[in-house]
Amino acid sequence: MKYFLVTYGCQMNISDSERVAAVLEELGFEKTEKEEEANILGVVACSVRQTSINRVYGRIVAWNERRDREQVITFVSGCILDRDRKKFAKLFDLQFSIEDLPKLPDLLSTYGVPFVPHAGLASDPDRTGYWKIAPHCESTIQAWIPIQNGCNRFCAYCAVPYTRGREVSRDSQEILDEISGLIERGYRRFTLLGQNVNSYGRDREGSLPVFARLLDDAASIIEKSGHEALIHFTSPHPSDMGREVFKVMRDRKAVARQVHLPLQSGDDAVLARMRRSYTLARYREIVGWIRDLVPDATLFTDIIVGFPGETEAEFENTRRAMEEFAFDMAFVAMYSPRPGTTGSRMKDDVPQAEKKRRLHVLAELLKEIAGQRKAGMVGTTQRVLVDGLVSPGLWSARTSGLLPVHVAGPEGALATGQFADVRITGSGSMSLAAACI
């Protein structure tokens, strides 16, 4: 039997999907990229954005039409609000939280699905948590490493505390063992994942290290392995960010020179309405630490435009903040209310056309600023990790700062998973061009 799995949402959902795939394949099911070939059809969903959840409804309507003609089983998991969960219960055959992933074989068996349990799944008496399930990584060089699930922050616009619950930290040795095993299998880029990574360990204070220590321990494992590799992390919360994290970045060559630090708004009044619990001055202080301790680090961020009550003057403060901090990348989104959040009880009073205009203003500003920063790299030598071959003589790669690079060179000069020094020959707003040295 074959399965088809589609994923919507953030890197955490991608990581969850890799564990769902691992369970299905250990049961003997074969993955297919053609959903018409599959007997088992699954979605890892995301209620954080309405557009993502709409796509799930589109999928299940088509799948249920197919179920009227042939025998298929559908399931849904992921980051799902109660409102959507209740609707999905009537549409999908199976629905489970990612924490209940180890129960998936039992759920499938209730539908009479034939499978042959593999030894790894059937004989492991400690397989009670989904983090203990070794992921089936989609990439051969990039690994997502979940270190935490849930969030305690309850930002006004965010559904995560309602879909994933309160913060739960993963055992540190389990994290380090996973990294150690993957690096020996050839993985060269690791990303520590959590909704609020730098609050790692606070739910089990005294029994787990703080995030800076975990990052240092992970980097130590990489550096002692004898293999070159990089470790990233996402996403931190400015209120929980300490200078110690950037000291680890400075001192450890295995820690990538890239920081994703969500700003969300450059106006203190909007930040307060968002319940972000920091001010622009606090954010500025953290960026100062980055520029001081890791001056070669790239800076990525998230910004929301059109949050309830955002005036033109408040938006202008965000525009000025983008100029001031000179982000290398910004993920800008128009606000949309999510059911159950504090924001959903506020009047969504910024017109959609105005939200689009503000998004466009920031997108154009990002192109200008990021383009200038990348232009300054032309002529320099950068070390990159090769992601793959685009076409004969052209490879896709990324710098330690996660900047995309297209590298030209003789056929066979580079290989996927290889680190190489390249000369930057050109730049655009979002990527770089380079040549092999």
Side-chain angles (χ1 to χ4, degrees):
M1 296 181 72
K2 295 183 178 182
Y3 76 93
F4 175 81
L5 184 61
V6 62
T7 307
Y8 299 115
C10 67
Q11 297 100 323
M12 185 66 80
N13 271 18
I14 295 172
S15 173
D16 291 346
S17 289
E18 291 179 342
R19 283 172 161 77
V20 173
V23 169
L24 292 171
E25 294 189 16
E26 287 187 21
L27 292 173
F29 301 121
E30 179 186 352
K31 184 176 182 179
T32 178
E33 298 297 335
K34 299 178 180 179
E35 56 187 286
E36 65 272 12
E37 295 180 349
N39 313 98
I40 297 177
L41 302 162
V43 181
V44 176
C46 173
S47 286
V48 173
R49 297 197 188 283
Q50 188 61 43
T51 52
S52 295
I53 216 70
N54 288 344
R55 294 166 75 184
V56 176
Y57 285 114
R59 288 273 186 182
I60 191 58
V61 168
W63 289 352
N64 284 341
E65 289 176 355
R66 181 180 162 193
R67 190 171 56 181
D68 293 337
R69 304 188 304 269
E70 55 188 297
Q71 186 176 2
V72 296
I73 292 177
T74 62
F75 71 81
V76 63
S77 185
C79 203
I80 307 172
L81 284 166
D82 282 342
R83 185 187 72 168
D84 295 315
R85 189 176 290 112
K86 291 173 182 176
K87 293 179 180 179
F88 287 163
K90 301 175 182 178
L91 297 171
F92 286 86
D93 295 315
L94 301 173
Q95 182 173 194
F96 58 91
S97 68
I98 197 64
E99 293 86 353
D100 289 331
L101 176 57
K103 299 177 183 178
L104 180 56
D106 293 334
L107 294 173
L108 289 171
S109 69
T110 63
Y111 275 80
V113 179
F115 56 81
V116 179
H118 285 204
L121 187 66
S123 64
D124 183 358
D126 296 323
R127 202 174 187 129
T128 56
Y130 85 102
W131 279 325
K132 296 181 183 296
I133 299 169
H136 179 85
C137 298
E138 285 293 315
S139 168
T140 58
I141 61 170
Q142 159 75 52
W144 307 106
I145 311 293
I147 68 169
Q148 173 212 58
N149 191 29
C151 184
N152 294 348
R153 283 286 168 183
F154 289 89
C155 299
Y157 54 82
C158 186
V160 168
Y162 306 96
T163 60
R164 288 187 177 267
R166 294 300 185 104
E167 292 170 7
V168 178
S169 298
R170 186 181 182 188
D171 181 74
S172 59
Q173 193 57 53
E174 194 175 290
I175 295 166
L176 299 176
D177 288 346
E178 184 170 331
I179 293 172
S180 182
L182 288 169
I183 197 168
E184 293 305 322
R185 288 169 51 193
Y187 286 82
R188 296 296 179 258
R189 185 186 296 123
F190 301 91
T191 303
L192 303 182
L193 288 178
Q195 275 74 35
N196 186 9
V197 288
N198 50 341
S199 68
Y200 172 82
R202 293 184 181 180
D203 58 309
R204 293 166 58 185
E205 198 165 345
S207 62
L208 288 177
V210 296
F211 177 67
R213 174 63 186 277
L214 176 69
L215 184 63
D216 188 62
D217 289 345
S220 177
I221 283 177
I222 292 172
E223 291 171 9
K224 290 178 180 178
S225 72
H227 301 289
E228 186 175 1
L230 292 170
I231 189 159
H232 299 258
F233 58 89
T234 195
S235 279
H237 192 290
S239 292
D240 296 320
M241 181 58 81
R243 190 180 176 91
E244 295 76 15
V245 171
F246 306 117
K247 289 180 180 179
V248 174
M249 291 183 68
R250 177 195 63 193
D251 297 338
R252 288 290 190 182
K253 65 179 181 180
V255 180
R257 276 16 188 192
Q258 182 253 347
V259 179
H260 188 142
L261 189 67
L263 173 62
Q264 304 302 3
S265 174
D267 183 86
D268 285 346
V270 176
L271 289 172
R273 293 200 298 275
M274 288 179 167
R275 301 179 64 175
R276 288 294 286 172
S277 69
Y278 58 85
T279 62
L280 186 63
R282 165 65 174 164
Y283 190 94
R284 184 179 292 116
E285 179 184 31
I286 299 169
V287 173
W289 296 340
I290 298 169
R291 303 303 191 203
D292 177 44
L293 295 170
V294 203
D296 58 339
T298 57
L299 183 59
F300 291 22
T301 198
D302 300 325
I303 293 174
I304 296 172
V305 296
F307 188 77
E310 185 184 60
T311 65
E312 181 60 30
E314 290 169 339
F315 169 71
E316 177 62 18
N317 286 337
T318 297
R319 191 197 65 77
R320 283 199 292 260
M322 179 174 276
E323 281 186 331
E324 175 186 350
F325 299 127
F327 297 112
D328 295 278
M329 174 56 69
F331 301 95
V332 184
M334 295 184 294
Y335 173 76
S336 62
R338 307 308 303 130
T341 63
T342 303
S344 68
R345 298 192 290 273
M346 300 177 182
K347 185 179 180 181
D348 187 15
D349 55 358
V350 180
Q352 192 71 6
E354 178 60 17
K355 291 178 183 178
K356 290 181 179 179
R357 187 193 70 82
R358 293 176 184 181
L359 185 148
H360 178 73
V361 168
L362 295 189
E364 291 302 308
L365 180 58
L366 174 65
K367 288 180 182 179
E368 178 185 345
I369 294 171
Q372 290 172 354
R373 288 177 63 82
K374 291 176 181 63
M377 298 174 69
V378 174
T380 65
T381 297
Q382 299 289 327
R383 192 151 184 82
V384 299
L385 174 59
V386 179
D387 289 320
L389 185 68
V390 177
S391 59
L394 186 66
W395 291 265
S396 63
R398 287 184 182 269
T399 66
S400 176
L402 270 189
L403 300 179
V405 186
H406 291 97
V407 185
E411 192 168 346
L414 299 175
T416 300
Q418 173 188 348
F419 281 90
D421 291 325
V422 300
R423 187 180 76 259
I424 304 300
T425 58
S427 68
S429 58
M430 295 294 117
S431 64
L432 297 161
C436 293
I437 295 178

